[in-house]
Amino acid sequence: MLLIPISSVFSQNYKVEYENRSFLPEKYKKNLSEMIIEDYESPKLYDLFINTEDLCVYKQKENLRNSNVETIGNYIQNFVVTNPKEKTVYQDMNIENRNYKVKSPLKLSERWVMHRETKMINGIEATKATMETSKNNTEVWFAKSIKSKCGPSNFVGFPGLVLEILIKPKDENEATGIVRMKSIETLKDDSIIKSYFNNISDKTISRGEFDKIYEDYQKKVQEMYGGNGVDKD
């Protein structure tokens, strides 16, 4: 469902819904139960809110299938606020029900290659950009007609709203990731978004400080569960 005109749009408040999926390699699935495969590959839904100043709020929709066991040894990212203009990222995080507000610089890669190739994604024309690293081949499709530098997570800074991301790992044992825009609508104001911006006005810590806290937490979990803590980047 699209609630915006296809022509170029400036200074709007948006709500964009994305579907995020990961697909395991077929040979890897042979050693896993159907339940584990289904849980891993099931779609995860995210919302991206954008205000007229092009500030981006990205958060996962509530997933009733999540359990407390899945969070042991992990941190929970409640939401991310990205400012492409000032190149800053604010992350609202939880470790064992304790909240942390993390501020870090936004690092935009200069290795993206822009292409002339286009395709339609839910009725919107998208342009292709690619980047190759030692681990992945990544495709990003962005809409020049929607004048925002926002996108899912840290995929920001493109000359248009990011509509789709495809991450193909070079290691055949790694999962392929796909993020795709499902719907987009304009909002009459930024009242939904303001609450997130108000939360980041509190005291923040650096990413390095948070990583140290998380490292100490993982050590504690490993001691409690005999080394079965789960690493999470």
Side-chain angles (χ1 to χ4, degrees):
M1 177 179 66
L2 299 176
L3 302 179
I4 64 169
I6 302 303
S7 58
S8 296
V9 183
F10 295 88
S11 300
Q12 297 281 349
N13 298 296
Y14 295 110
K15 176 184 176 182
V16 190
E17 184 180 52
Y18 293 91
E19 180 181 86
N20 188 334
R21 302 195 67 178
S22 297
F23 296 95
L24 293 164
E26 290 301 321
K27 68 175 186 178
Y28 191 68
K29 293 181 182 180
K30 296 178 181 179
N31 299 320
L32 299 175
S33 68
E34 291 185 5
M35 182 179 297
I36 292 176
I37 295 171
E38 181 183 358
D39 184 68
Y40 188 86
E41 295 189 339
S42 63
K44 280 77 174 176
L45 298 179
Y46 289 78
D47 283 331
L48 173 67
F49 298 99
I50 306 168
N51 73 357
T52 56
E53 297 178 7
D54 210 27
L55 293 174
C56 331
V57 178
Y58 191 65
K59 68 183 294 291
Q60 184 174 5
K61 287 180 177 287
E62 183 178 358
N63 184 358
L64 299 179
R65 298 178 64 179
N66 285 348
S67 68
N68 291 331
V69 174
E70 291 175 321
T71 64
I72 295 175
N74 291 329
Y75 60 77
I76 297 173
Q77 181 171 270
N78 300 316
F79 62 87
V80 182
V81 176
T82 307
N83 187 330
K85 294 179 182 177
E86 295 184 1
K87 295 185 178 180
T88 55
V89 179
Y90 296 89
Q91 295 168 283
D92 191 270
M93 320 280 262
N94 273 76
I95 298 178
E96 275 193 322
N97 297 318
R98 185 171 179 180
N99 183 256
Y100 299 90
K101 292 171 173 58
V102 184
K103 180 180 179 181
S104 56
L106 173 63
K107 298 178 181 179
L108 299 177
S109 176
E110 297 180 354
R111 299 172 61 184
W112 289 102
V113 178
M114 301 297 172
H115 301 263
R116 294 184 178 180
E117 183 179 350
T118 62
K119 69 175 181 177
M120 301 301 291
I121 299 176
N122 288 341
I124 301 176
E125 184 180 78
T127 301
K128 182 179 180 180
T130 59
M131 181 171 64
E132 181 177 1
T133 66
S134 59
K135 294 183 177 181
N136 302 311
N137 286 312
T138 304
E139 285 182 11
V140 166
W141 295 84
F142 60 93
K144 293 180 179 179
S145 61
I146 304 177
K147 302 301 181 181
S148 170
K149 293 185 178 295
C150 292
S153 189
N154 61 333
F155 286 88
V156 300
F158 294 88
L161 176 69
V162 173
L163 303 185
E164 184 175 291
I165 302 161
L166 174 62
I167 303 175
K168 297 180 179 179
K170 293 182 177 180
D171 186 341
E172 60 183 13
N173 294 313
E174 297 290 332
T176 296
I178 301 175
V179 181
R180 198 168 196 265
M181 183 271 286
K182 290 188 65 181
S183 66
I184 179 170
E185 60 181 294
T186 56
L187 303 174
K188 62 180 181 180
D189 56 46
D190 63 351
S191 57
I192 296 177
I193 309 172
K194 281 182 178 178
S195 62
Y196 297 103
F197 297 152
N198 291 338
N199 280 332
I200 66 172
S201 64
D202 297 333
K203 183 179 179 181
T204 61
I205 62 175
S206 70
R207 182 69 200 205
E209 290 173 307
F210 177 81
D211 288 343
K212 180 61 171 63
I213 293 170
Y214 180 53
E215 181 183 348
D216 293 341
Y217 167 64
Q218 282 195 310
K219 289 179 180 177
K220 184 176 73 172
V221 170
Q222 290 170 359
E223 291 172 359
M224 292 176 61
Y225 294 92
N228 291 323
V230 181
D231 288 333
K232 180 175 178 180
D233 186 5

